[in-house]
Protein backbone atom coordinates (compact mmCIF):
# COMPACT_ATOMS: atom_id res chain seq x y z
CA UNK A 1 0.00 0.00 0.00
CA UNK A 2 1.03 3.59 -0.43
CA UNK A 3 1.47 5.92 2.46
CA UNK A 4 1.15 9.67 2.11
CA UNK A 5 2.93 11.93 4.55
CA UNK A 6 1.33 15.25 5.27
CA UNK A 7 3.26 17.96 6.97
CA UNK A 8 1.45 19.42 9.87
CA UNK A 9 1.02 23.18 9.84
CA UNK A 10 3.24 25.06 12.27
CA UNK A 11 1.70 25.41 15.67
CA UNK A 12 0.68 28.88 16.51
CA UNK A 13 2.12 30.12 19.76
CA UNK A 14 0.01 32.12 22.04
CA UNK A 15 1.86 35.18 23.36
CA UNK A 16 2.76 34.82 27.02
CA UNK A 17 1.72 37.57 29.29
CA UNK A 18 4.58 39.30 31.01
CA UNK A 19 4.49 39.17 34.73
CA UNK A 20 3.80 42.45 36.37
CA UNK A 21 6.84 43.77 38.30
CA UNK A 22 6.75 43.18 41.99
CA UNK A 23 5.60 45.99 44.10
CA UNK A 24 8.36 45.27 46.58
CA UNK A 25 10.72 47.74 44.90
CA UNK A 26 12.42 50.49 46.85
CA UNK A 27 11.28 53.82 45.68
CA UNK A 28 13.81 56.50 44.83
CA UNK A 29 13.90 60.00 46.17
CA UNK A 30 12.72 58.97 49.59
CA UNK A 31 9.36 57.72 48.41
CA UNK A 32 7.73 55.10 50.67
CA UNK A 33 7.48 51.50 49.37
CA UNK A 34 3.99 50.19 48.69
CA UNK A 35 2.48 47.53 51.00
CA UNK A 36 3.51 43.93 50.15
CA UNK A 37 0.92 41.37 49.25
CA UNK A 38 0.47 38.08 51.06
CA UNK A 39 2.27 35.99 48.43
CA UNK A 40 5.12 38.48 48.28
CA UNK A 41 5.59 38.29 52.05
CA UNK A 42 5.60 34.50 51.92
CA UNK A 43 8.26 34.42 49.20
CA UNK A 44 10.41 36.90 51.07
CA UNK A 45 10.22 34.85 54.25
CA UNK A 46 11.22 31.65 52.41
CA UNK A 47 14.16 33.45 50.85
CA UNK A 48 15.41 34.65 54.23
CA UNK A 49 15.22 31.14 55.67
CA UNK A 50 17.08 29.70 52.69
CA UNK A 51 19.87 32.26 52.99
CA UNK A 52 20.20 31.66 56.73
CA UNK A 53 20.45 27.88 56.20
CA UNK A 54 23.11 28.28 53.52
CA UNK A 55 25.16 30.50 55.84
CA UNK A 56 25.11 27.99 58.70
CA UNK A 57 26.14 25.09 56.41
CA UNK A 58 29.07 27.11 55.10
CA UNK A 59 30.27 27.89 58.61
CA UNK A 60 30.12 24.21 59.62
CA UNK A 61 32.08 23.07 56.58
CA UNK A 62 34.75 25.65 57.24
CA UNK A 63 35.09 24.58 60.88
CA UNK A 64 35.25 20.82 60.03
CA UNK A 65 37.77 20.95 57.23
CA UNK A 66 40.04 23.63 58.77
CA UNK A 67 41.56 24.35 55.38
CA UNK A 68 41.45 20.77 54.01
CA UNK A 69 39.15 19.21 51.42
CA UNK A 70 36.15 17.24 52.54
CA UNK A 71 37.59 13.96 51.27
CA UNK A 72 40.94 14.58 53.05
CA UNK A 73 39.52 15.02 56.54
CA UNK A 74 41.04 12.34 58.81
CA UNK A 75 38.55 9.99 60.42
CA UNK A 76 38.39 10.13 64.18
CA UNK A 77 38.10 6.67 65.73
CA UNK A 78 36.53 6.47 69.14
CA UNK A 79 38.11 4.07 71.58
CA UNK A 80 36.12 0.81 71.94
CA UNK A 81 35.54 -0.80 75.27
CA UNK A 82 35.31 -4.60 75.60
CA UNK A 83 31.93 -5.62 77.00
CA UNK A 84 31.36 -9.13 78.32
CA UNK A 85 28.90 -11.34 76.35
CA UNK A 86 25.59 -11.82 78.17
CA UNK A 87 23.34 -14.81 77.45
CA UNK A 88 19.69 -14.21 78.25
CA UNK A 89 17.61 -17.35 78.76
CA UNK A 90 13.82 -17.12 78.60
CA UNK A 91 11.81 -19.58 80.66
CA UNK A 92 8.06 -20.08 80.14
CA UNK A 93 5.78 -19.69 83.11
CA UNK A 94 4.38 -22.92 84.49
CA UNK A 95 0.63 -23.45 84.30
CA UNK A 96 -1.44 -23.66 87.42
CA UNK A 97 -2.16 -27.32 88.12
CA UNK A 98 -5.38 -26.47 89.97
CA UNK A 99 -7.12 -25.57 86.70
CA UNK A 100 -6.45 -28.89 84.98
CA UNK A 101 -9.94 -29.07 83.46
CA UNK A 102 -9.61 -25.65 81.90
CA UNK A 103 -6.14 -26.44 80.56
CA UNK A 104 -7.37 -29.66 78.94
CA UNK A 105 -10.00 -27.72 77.00
CA UNK A 106 -7.48 -25.17 75.67
CA UNK A 107 -4.63 -27.62 75.16
CA UNK A 108 -5.27 -27.77 71.40
CA UNK A 109 -5.12 -23.98 71.27
CA UNK A 110 -1.87 -23.71 73.25
CA UNK A 111 -0.20 -26.34 71.08
CA UNK A 112 -0.40 -24.05 68.06
CA UNK A 113 1.81 -21.40 69.73
CA UNK A 114 5.56 -21.79 70.24
CA UNK A 115 7.07 -21.44 73.70
CA UNK A 116 9.50 -18.72 74.72
CA UNK A 117 12.44 -21.15 74.62
CA UNK A 118 11.62 -22.20 71.04
CA UNK A 119 11.33 -18.60 69.90
CA UNK A 120 14.57 -17.30 71.48
CA UNK A 121 16.78 -20.29 70.73
CA UNK A 122 18.16 -20.92 67.30
CA UNK A 123 16.91 -24.49 67.17
CA UNK A 124 13.54 -26.06 67.82
CA UNK A 125 12.84 -27.28 71.34
CA UNK A 126 11.80 -30.71 70.07
CA UNK A 127 15.02 -31.03 68.08
CA UNK A 128 17.10 -30.13 71.14
CA UNK A 129 15.23 -32.64 73.29
CA UNK A 130 15.84 -35.34 70.69
CA UNK A 131 19.58 -34.48 70.55
CA UNK A 132 19.79 -34.63 74.35
CA UNK A 133 18.12 -38.02 74.38
CA UNK A 134 20.52 -39.35 71.73
CA UNK A 135 23.54 -37.97 73.63
CA UNK A 136 22.45 -39.68 76.84
CA UNK A 137 21.92 -43.02 75.14
CA UNK A 138 25.27 -42.93 73.28
CA UNK A 139 27.92 -45.09 75.11
CA UNK A 140 31.41 -43.79 75.80
CA UNK A 141 33.13 -46.71 74.07
CA UNK A 142 34.28 -46.41 70.50
CA UNK A 143 31.97 -49.19 69.35
CA UNK A 144 29.65 -48.23 66.51
CA UNK A 145 26.25 -47.16 67.74
CA UNK A 146 23.28 -49.32 66.86
CA UNK A 147 20.76 -47.83 64.45
CA UNK A 148 17.89 -46.18 66.31
CA UNK A 149 14.63 -48.05 66.36
CA UNK A 150 11.92 -46.71 64.11
CA UNK A 151 9.22 -44.98 66.09
CA UNK A 152 5.63 -45.94 65.27
CA UNK A 153 4.21 -43.54 62.73
CA UNK A 154 1.41 -41.48 64.16
CA UNK A 155 -1.74 -41.00 62.22
CA UNK A 156 -1.60 -37.77 60.34
CA UNK A 157 -3.94 -35.15 61.69
CA UNK A 158 -7.07 -34.96 59.55
CA UNK A 159 -7.98 -31.68 58.02
CA UNK A 160 -11.21 -29.91 58.77
CA UNK A 161 -12.68 -30.85 55.39
CA UNK A 162 -11.94 -34.56 55.87
CA UNK A 163 -13.39 -34.55 59.38
CA UNK A 164 -16.57 -32.97 58.03
CA UNK A 165 -16.83 -35.62 55.31
CA UNK A 166 -16.39 -38.42 57.84
CA UNK A 167 -19.06 -37.04 60.16
CA UNK A 168 -21.55 -36.55 57.32
CA UNK A 169 -24.28 -39.19 56.95
CA UNK A 170 -25.04 -40.81 53.63
CA UNK A 171 -28.24 -40.47 51.63
CA UNK A 172 -29.33 -44.01 52.59
CA UNK A 173 -28.87 -43.31 56.30
CA UNK A 174 -30.82 -40.04 56.02
CA UNK A 175 -33.70 -41.80 54.29
CA UNK A 176 -33.91 -44.31 57.13
CA UNK A 177 -34.24 -41.72 59.90
CA UNK A 178 -36.79 -39.36 58.30
CA UNK A 179 -40.53 -39.81 57.93
CA UNK A 180 -40.62 -38.86 54.23
CA UNK A 181 -37.76 -40.63 52.38
CA UNK A 182 -39.16 -39.52 49.02
CA UNK A 183 -38.34 -35.89 49.88
CA UNK A 184 -34.61 -36.60 50.39
CA UNK A 185 -32.26 -35.32 47.69
CA UNK A 186 -28.56 -35.92 47.13
CA UNK A 187 -27.46 -32.51 48.40
CA UNK A 188 -29.56 -32.65 51.60
CA UNK A 189 -26.79 -34.44 53.50
CA UNK A 190 -24.52 -31.39 53.19
CA UNK A 191 -26.85 -29.22 55.31
CA UNK A 192 -26.03 -28.24 58.88
CA UNK A 193 -29.07 -30.19 60.13
CA UNK A 194 -30.25 -32.64 57.43
CA UNK A 195 -33.17 -33.98 59.49
CA UNK A 196 -34.62 -30.53 60.06
CA UNK A 197 -34.20 -29.69 56.38
CA UNK A 198 -36.11 -32.78 55.23
CA UNK A 199 -38.80 -32.09 57.84
CA UNK A 200 -39.28 -28.56 56.52
CA UNK A 201 -39.33 -29.78 52.93
CA UNK A 202 -42.00 -32.38 53.67
CA UNK A 203 -44.13 -29.99 55.71
CA UNK A 204 -47.58 -29.21 54.37
CA UNK A 205 -47.84 -26.14 52.08
CA UNK A 206 -44.06 -25.69 52.10
CA UNK A 207 -42.87 -23.80 49.01
CA UNK A 208 -39.74 -25.47 47.57
CA UNK A 209 -36.63 -23.58 46.54
CA UNK A 210 -36.35 -23.29 42.72
CA UNK A 211 -34.43 -26.27 41.40
CA UNK A 212 -31.99 -24.15 39.36
CA UNK A 213 -30.23 -22.91 42.51
CA UNK A 214 -27.57 -25.61 42.16
CA UNK A 215 -27.21 -25.49 38.37
CA UNK A 216 -23.92 -24.21 37.03
CA UNK A 217 -25.42 -22.67 33.93
CA UNK A 218 -27.52 -19.55 34.05
CA UNK A 219 -31.29 -19.58 34.45
CA UNK A 220 -33.22 -20.31 31.19
CA UNK A 221 -29.94 -20.70 29.29
CA UNK A 222 -31.15 -23.98 27.81
CA UNK A 223 -34.05 -22.27 26.00
CA UNK A 224 -31.75 -20.36 23.67
CA UNK A 225 -32.44 -21.27 20.06
CA UNK A 226 -35.80 -22.89 20.82
CA UNK A 227 -38.52 -21.58 18.55
CA UNK A 228 -41.18 -19.79 20.54
CA UNK A 229 -44.78 -20.60 19.71
CA UNK A 230 -46.86 -17.67 18.47
CA UNK A 231 -49.33 -16.31 20.94
CA UNK A 232 -52.91 -17.42 20.34
CA UNK A 233 -56.13 -15.73 21.31
CA UNK A 234 -58.26 -17.46 23.93
CA UNK A 235 -60.96 -19.71 22.55
CA UNK A 236 -63.89 -17.53 23.67
CA UNK A 237 -62.37 -14.46 21.94
CA UNK A 238 -61.45 -16.33 18.74
CA UNK A 239 -65.07 -17.47 18.35
CA UNK A 240 -66.18 -13.85 17.85
CA UNK A 241 -64.39 -13.77 14.46
CA UNK A 242 -62.22 -10.78 15.32
CA UNK A 243 -59.14 -12.58 14.02
CA UNK A 244 -60.63 -12.98 10.54
CA UNK A 245 -61.69 -9.34 10.45
CA UNK A 246 -58.19 -8.16 11.42
CA UNK A 247 -56.61 -10.38 8.81
CA UNK A 248 -58.89 -8.98 6.08
CA UNK A 249 -58.07 -5.41 7.13
CA UNK A 250 -54.31 -6.14 7.11
CA UNK A 251 -54.54 -7.60 3.60
CA UNK A 252 -56.38 -4.49 2.41
CA UNK A 253 -53.73 -2.26 4.00
CA UNK A 254 -50.97 -4.15 2.21
CA UNK A 255 -52.55 -3.44 -1.20
CA UNK A 256 -52.81 0.31 -0.65
CA UNK A 257 -50.31 2.76 -2.06
CA UNK A 258 -48.21 5.18 -0.06
CA UNK A 259 -50.41 8.11 -1.05
CA UNK A 260 -53.53 6.36 0.22
CA UNK A 261 -51.81 5.40 3.47
CA UNK A 262 -50.72 9.00 4.01
CA UNK A 263 -54.25 10.26 3.35
CA UNK A 264 -55.74 7.75 5.81
CA UNK A 265 -53.16 8.69 8.40
CA UNK A 266 -54.35 12.28 8.24
CA UNK A 267 -58.07 11.45 8.06
CA UNK A 268 -58.52 7.86 9.27
CA UNK A 269 -61.71 5.94 8.68
CA UNK A 270 -63.31 4.50 11.79
CA UNK A 271 -65.55 1.51 12.33
CA UNK A 272 -63.92 -0.94 9.94
CA UNK A 273 -63.39 -3.65 12.57
CA UNK A 274 -66.70 -3.39 14.39
CA UNK A 275 -68.06 -6.56 15.98
CA UNK A 276 -71.64 -7.01 17.07
CA UNK A 277 -72.13 -5.88 20.66
CA UNK A 278 -74.16 -8.95 21.57
CA UNK A 279 -71.41 -11.25 20.28
CA UNK A 280 -68.81 -9.46 22.40
CA UNK A 281 -71.11 -9.48 25.43
CA UNK A 282 -71.69 -13.22 25.15
CA UNK A 283 -67.97 -13.86 24.63
CA UNK A 284 -66.91 -12.13 27.85
CA UNK A 285 -69.93 -12.73 30.08
CA UNK A 286 -71.23 -16.09 28.88
CA UNK A 287 -68.47 -18.11 27.23
CA UNK A 288 -65.41 -16.77 29.03
CA UNK A 289 -63.23 -19.41 30.68
CA UNK A 290 -60.62 -19.07 33.39
CA UNK A 291 -56.99 -19.22 32.27
CA UNK A 292 -54.68 -21.93 33.51
CA UNK A 293 -52.97 -20.61 36.60
CA UNK A 294 -50.18 -22.14 38.64
CA UNK A 295 -51.06 -23.62 42.00
CA UNK A 296 -49.81 -22.68 45.41
CA UNK A 297 -46.04 -23.03 45.66
CA UNK A 298 -45.51 -23.95 41.99
CA UNK A 299 -42.35 -22.40 40.55
CA UNK A 300 -41.51 -22.33 36.86
CA UNK A 301 -38.51 -24.31 35.65
CA UNK A 302 -37.08 -25.16 32.26
CA UNK A 303 -39.21 -27.62 30.31
CA UNK A 304 -42.29 -27.30 32.51
CA UNK A 305 -44.53 -26.47 29.56
CA UNK A 306 -43.47 -29.68 27.76
CA UNK A 307 -44.47 -32.01 30.59
CA UNK A 308 -47.53 -34.22 30.24
CA UNK A 309 -50.25 -33.55 32.79
CA UNK A 310 -51.56 -36.89 34.04
CA UNK A 311 -54.20 -35.56 36.45
CA UNK A 312 -56.91 -35.93 33.83
CA UNK A 313 -55.90 -39.49 32.97
CA UNK A 314 -57.47 -42.49 34.70
CA UNK A 315 -55.51 -45.74 35.10
CA UNK A 316 -56.99 -48.69 33.27
CA UNK A 317 -59.11 -46.62 30.86
CA UNK A 318 -57.86 -46.93 27.28
CA UNK A 319 -58.85 -44.13 24.93
CA UNK A 320 -59.49 -44.61 21.25
CA UNK A 321 -56.24 -42.84 20.36
CA UNK A 322 -54.21 -45.12 22.66
CA UNK A 323 -55.83 -48.23 21.20
CA UNK A 324 -55.04 -47.05 17.69
CA UNK A 325 -51.42 -46.32 18.66
CA UNK A 326 -51.04 -49.80 20.19
CA UNK A 327 -52.74 -51.50 17.23
CA UNK A 328 -55.52 -53.00 19.34
CA UNK A 329 -58.67 -54.00 17.43
CA UNK A 330 -62.05 -54.03 19.12
CA UNK A 331 -62.31 -56.77 21.76
CA UNK A 332 -58.55 -57.42 21.85
CA UNK A 333 -56.64 -57.47 25.16
CA UNK A 334 -53.93 -54.91 26.00
CA UNK A 335 -50.36 -56.05 25.26
CA UNK A 336 -49.34 -55.97 28.94
CA UNK A 337 -52.02 -58.43 30.10
CA UNK A 338 -49.77 -61.50 29.63
CA UNK A 339 -47.08 -60.07 31.94
CA UNK A 340 -49.69 -59.05 34.53
CA UNK A 341 -51.09 -62.61 34.53
CA UNK A 342 -47.55 -63.89 35.10
CA UNK A 343 -46.27 -61.39 37.71
CA UNK A 344 -49.48 -60.08 39.27
CA UNK A 345 -51.43 -56.80 39.27
CA UNK A 346 -49.63 -53.47 39.70
CA UNK A 347 -49.07 -52.79 43.43
CA UNK A 348 -49.67 -49.05 43.04
CA UNK A 349 -53.32 -49.65 42.10
CA UNK A 350 -54.65 -52.43 44.35
CA UNK A 351 -58.33 -51.67 43.62
CA UNK A 352 -57.94 -51.48 39.84
CA UNK A 353 -60.12 -54.00 37.98
CA UNK A 354 -58.32 -55.48 34.97
CA UNK A 355 -60.28 -57.85 32.68
CA UNK A 356 -58.53 -61.20 32.37
CA UNK A 357 -56.62 -60.70 35.64
CA UNK A 358 -59.07 -59.98 38.48
CA UNK A 359 -62.25 -59.27 36.51
CA UNK A 360 -64.26 -61.19 33.88
CA UNK A 361 -63.33 -60.78 30.24
CA UNK A 362 -65.83 -59.09 27.91
CA UNK A 363 -68.60 -61.04 26.26
CA UNK A 364 -67.57 -62.86 23.11
CA UNK A 365 -63.89 -63.05 24.14
CA UNK A 366 -62.06 -66.24 25.08
CA UNK A 367 -58.91 -67.21 26.92
CA UNK A 368 -55.90 -68.43 24.99
CA UNK A 369 -52.77 -67.30 23.20
CA UNK A 370 -54.28 -67.15 19.73
CA UNK A 371 -54.67 -63.74 18.00
CA UNK A 372 -57.26 -61.89 20.04
CA UNK A 373 -56.98 -64.32 22.97
CA UNK A 374 -56.88 -63.15 26.58
CA UNK A 375 -54.05 -65.39 27.76
CA UNK A 376 -54.30 -67.81 30.69
CA UNK A 377 -56.20 -66.84 33.85
CA UNK A 378 -54.02 -66.88 37.02
CA UNK A 379 -55.23 -69.75 39.25
CA UNK A 380 -53.76 -71.83 42.08
CA UNK A 381 -53.24 -75.62 42.21
CA UNK A 382 -56.93 -76.08 43.00
CA UNK A 383 -58.14 -74.02 40.07
CA UNK A 384 -59.24 -71.07 42.19
CA UNK A 385 -58.47 -67.55 40.90
CA UNK A 386 -55.57 -65.81 42.63
CA UNK A 387 -56.40 -62.14 42.28
CA UNK A 388 -60.19 -61.95 41.88
CA UNK A 389 -63.28 -63.23 40.14
CA UNK A 390 -61.68 -63.72 36.75
CA UNK A 391 -64.33 -66.28 35.65
CA UNK A 392 -67.35 -64.23 36.76
CA UNK A 393 -68.67 -66.99 39.03
CA UNK A 394 -69.19 -64.78 42.04
CA UNK A 395 -70.83 -62.12 39.92
CA UNK A 396 -73.46 -64.57 38.72
CA UNK A 397 -75.47 -64.37 41.92
CA UNK A 398 -79.16 -65.05 42.22
CA UNK A 399 -81.59 -62.43 41.03
CA UNK A 400 -82.73 -61.77 44.56
CA UNK A 401 -79.22 -60.93 45.75
CA UNK A 402 -78.43 -58.80 42.73
CA UNK A 403 -81.66 -56.88 43.16
CA UNK A 404 -81.14 -56.21 46.86
CA UNK A 405 -78.13 -53.94 46.46
CA UNK A 406 -75.20 -56.34 46.23
CA UNK A 407 -71.97 -54.90 44.84
CA UNK A 408 -68.77 -56.62 43.77
CA UNK A 409 -65.34 -55.55 45.03
CA UNK A 410 -62.11 -55.58 43.00
CA UNK A 411 -61.48 -59.16 44.14
CA UNK A 412 -65.00 -60.31 43.29
CA UNK A 413 -66.41 -60.44 46.82
CA UNK A 414 -70.12 -59.47 47.02
CA UNK A 415 -71.07 -56.78 49.53
CA UNK A 416 -74.65 -56.19 50.67
CA UNK A 417 -75.14 -52.43 50.76
CA UNK A 418 -78.65 -52.72 52.23
CA UNK A 419 -77.53 -54.42 55.47
CA UNK A 420 -77.33 -52.22 58.54
CA UNK A 421 -74.25 -52.08 60.70
CA UNK A 422 -74.63 -54.04 63.96
CA UNK A 423 -77.70 -55.99 62.85
CA UNK A 424 -77.75 -59.60 64.07
CA UNK A 425 -78.54 -62.17 61.37
CA UNK A 426 -81.64 -64.41 61.79
CA UNK A 427 -83.44 -62.23 64.36
CA UNK A 428 -86.91 -61.10 63.27
CA UNK A 429 -89.47 -59.19 65.26
CA UNK A 430 -92.84 -60.94 65.91
CA UNK A 431 -95.94 -58.95 64.97
CA UNK A 432 -97.81 -57.60 68.00
CA UNK A 433 -101.63 -57.52 67.81
CA UNK A 434 -103.06 -54.12 68.58
CA UNK A 435 -106.01 -53.36 70.87
CA UNK A 436 -107.98 -51.86 68.03
CA UNK A 437 -108.48 -55.25 66.40
CA UNK A 438 -109.99 -56.60 69.66
CA UNK A 439 -112.44 -53.74 69.88
CA UNK A 440 -113.54 -54.30 66.30
CA UNK A 441 -114.25 -57.96 67.02
CA UNK A 442 -116.40 -57.02 70.05
CA UNK A 443 -118.37 -54.52 68.00
CA UNK A 444 -119.08 -57.10 65.33
CA UNK A 445 -120.34 -59.58 67.94
CA UNK A 446 -122.75 -57.01 69.40
CA UNK A 447 -124.23 -56.14 66.02
CA UNK A 448 -124.77 -59.83 65.25
CA UNK A 449 -126.63 -60.35 68.57
CA UNK A 450 -128.96 -57.36 67.92
CA UNK A 451 -129.82 -58.65 64.46
CA UNK A 452 -130.86 -62.06 65.87
CA UNK A 453 -133.15 -60.42 68.46
CA UNK A 454 -134.94 -58.37 65.83
CA UNK A 455 -135.59 -61.45 63.74
Amino acid sequence: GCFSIHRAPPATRTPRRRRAPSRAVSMVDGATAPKLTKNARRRAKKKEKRNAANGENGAKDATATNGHKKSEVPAVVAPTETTPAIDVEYVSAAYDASDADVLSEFESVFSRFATAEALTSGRDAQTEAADDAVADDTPDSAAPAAPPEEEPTKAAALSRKKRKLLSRMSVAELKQVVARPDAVEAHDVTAADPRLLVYLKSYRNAVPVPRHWCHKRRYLQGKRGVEKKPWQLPEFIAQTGIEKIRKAVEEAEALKKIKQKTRERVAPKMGRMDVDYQVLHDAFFKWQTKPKLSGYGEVYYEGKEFEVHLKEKKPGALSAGLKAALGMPDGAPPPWLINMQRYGPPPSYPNLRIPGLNAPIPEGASFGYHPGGWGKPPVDEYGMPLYGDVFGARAALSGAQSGRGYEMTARGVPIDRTAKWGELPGVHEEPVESDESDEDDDEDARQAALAKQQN
Side-chain angles (χ1 to χ4, degrees):
C2 300
F3 297 93
S4 59
I5 300 175
H6 300 278
R7 188 172 183 181
T12 58
R13 292 186 176 183
T14 57
R16 300 179 64 180
R17 295 180 60 184
R18 291 187 177 183
R19 193 169 184 179
S22 177
R23 296 183 180 179
V25 181
S26 60
M27 305 299 292
V28 190
D29 300 336
T32 59
K35 187 177 180 180
L36 297 176
T37 61
K38 184 177 181 180
N39 292 335
R41 289 197 302 270
R42 187 178 71 250
R43 286 193 297 270
K45 189 178 294 184
K46 286 184 178 181
K47 189 174 182 180
E48 291 177 0
K49 289 183 180 180
R50 189 164 53 251
N51 293 338
N54 292 337
E56 291 178 1
N57 292 337
K60 288 182 180 180
D61 293 342
T63 305
T65 54
N66 196 11
H68 300 281
K69 293 183 179 180
K70 190 174 183 180
S71 59
E72 297 177 358
V73 177
V76 180
V77 180
T80 58
E81 298 180 359
T82 58
T83 56
I86 301 174
D87 295 337
V88 180
E89 183 178 0
Y90 294 91
V91 180
S92 301
Y95 298 118
D96 190 3
S98 60
D99 298 338
D101 298 338
V102 179
L103 291 177
S104 62
E105 295 180 0
F106 295 97
E107 185 177 0
S108 60
V109 179
F110 293 154
S111 62
R112 296 181 180 272
F113 297 93
T115 60
E117 295 86 345
L119 290 175
T120 55
S121 61
R123 304 178 63 189
D124 192 3
Q126 296 180 358
T127 308
E128 291 181 358
D131 294 346
D132 295 342
V134 172
D136 296 339
D137 296 340
T138 304
D140 297 337
S141 61
E149 298 180 359
E150 296 182 359
E151 298 180 358
T153 57
K154 297 181 180 180
L158 297 177
S159 62
R160 184 179 179 183
K161 185 176 182 180
K162 290 184 178 179
R163 289 199 306 269
K164 187 180 292 185
L165 289 175
L166 291 176
S167 62
R168 181 182 300 170
M169 63 172 57
S170 62
V171 178
E173 294 175 354
L174 182 59
K175 286 186 176 183
Q176 292 176 359
V177 298
V178 297
R180 288 284 302 277
D182 56 327
V184 178
E185 297 179 358
H187 50 262
D188 291 344
V189 295
T190 61
D193 193 349
R195 300 182 184 180
L196 177 61
L197 175 62
V198 178
Y199 174 77
L200 294 177
K201 288 172 59 176
S202 59
Y203 203 76
R204 186 173 178 268
N205 292 336
V207 180
V209 179
R211 62 179 63 181
H212 64 270
W213 70 268
C214 58
H215 294 174
K216 293 185 178 180
R217 63 180 184 179
R218 300 179 63 183
Y219 182 54
L220 300 180
Q221 192 72 14
K223 298 190 69 175
R224 296 185 61 185
V226 180
E227 185 179 358
K228 189 176 181 180
K229 296 182 179 180
W231 187 78
Q232 295 181 352
L233 285 172
E235 186 66 24
F236 64 93
I237 297 180
Q239 290 178 357
T240 59
I242 186 65
E243 196 171 0
K244 297 180 180 179
I245 298 175
R246 291 186 62 184
K247 189 176 294 185
V249 173
E250 290 176 358
E251 292 177 358
E253 288 285 342
L255 298 176
K256 290 182 180 180
K257 298 181 180 180
I258 300 176
K259 190 174 182 180
Q260 294 176 342
K261 292 181 180 179
T262 308
R263 187 182 305 137
E264 288 188 358
R265 192 179 295 113
V266 176
K269 295 181 180 180
M270 309 299 293
R272 291 185 299 175
M273 286 194 300
D274 288 345
V275 184
D276 188 11
Y277 175 78
Q278 188 63 33
V279 175
L280 289 176
H281 181 274
D282 293 343
F284 286 96
F285 293 95
K286 189 176 181 180
W287 309 112
Q288 184 178 8
T289 57
K290 292 183 179 181
K292 295 182 179 179
L293 303 176
S294 58
Y296 175 79
E298 291 186 7
V299 184
Y300 178 79
Y301 50 88
E302 293 187 31
K304 184 178 181 181
E305 63 272 16
F306 302 114
E307 290 185 351
V308 181
H309 299 281
L310 301 177
K311 292 183 179 180
E312 301 176 357
K313 307 297 181 181
K314 186 179 180 180
L318 304 180
S319 61
L322 181 58
K323 289 182 179 180
L326 295 175
M328 294 172 52
D330 294 339
W336 52 81
L337 178 63
I338 305 300
N339 287 334
M340 284 188 177
Q341 291 174 348
R342 183 180 303 171
Y343 302 110
S348 299
Y349 303 97
N351 298 326
L352 181 63
R353 299 192 63 185
I354 303 174
L357 181 66
N358 54 12
I361 59 178
E363 296 182 2
S366 61
F367 289 104
Y369 294 102
H370 58 276
W374 287 75
K376 182 180 178 181
V379 294
D380 55 6
E381 62 269 14
Y382 302 105
M384 300 298 293
L386 294 175
Y387 307 113
D389 187 18
V390 67
F391 299 110
R394 297 179 184 176
L397 299 174
S398 60
Q401 288 183 345
S402 60
R404 278 186 288 176
Y406 278 81
E407 293 183 6
M408 301 296 296
T409 61
R411 300 203 176 259
V413 179
I415 298 177
D416 188 5
R417 296 295 184 183
T418 60
K420 297 181 180 180
W421 184 85
E423 183 180 1
L424 298 176
V427 177
H428 302 284
E429 296 180 357
E430 297 180 359
V432 179
E433 296 181 358
S434 60
D435 297 338
E436 296 179 357
S437 59
D438 298 340
E439 295 178 356
D440 294 340
D441 295 341
D442 295 342
E443 188 68 25
D444 295 338
R446 291 174 186 173
Q447 291 180 1
L450 291 175
K452 287 182 181 180
Q453 291 178 2
Q454 291 176 359
N455 294 332

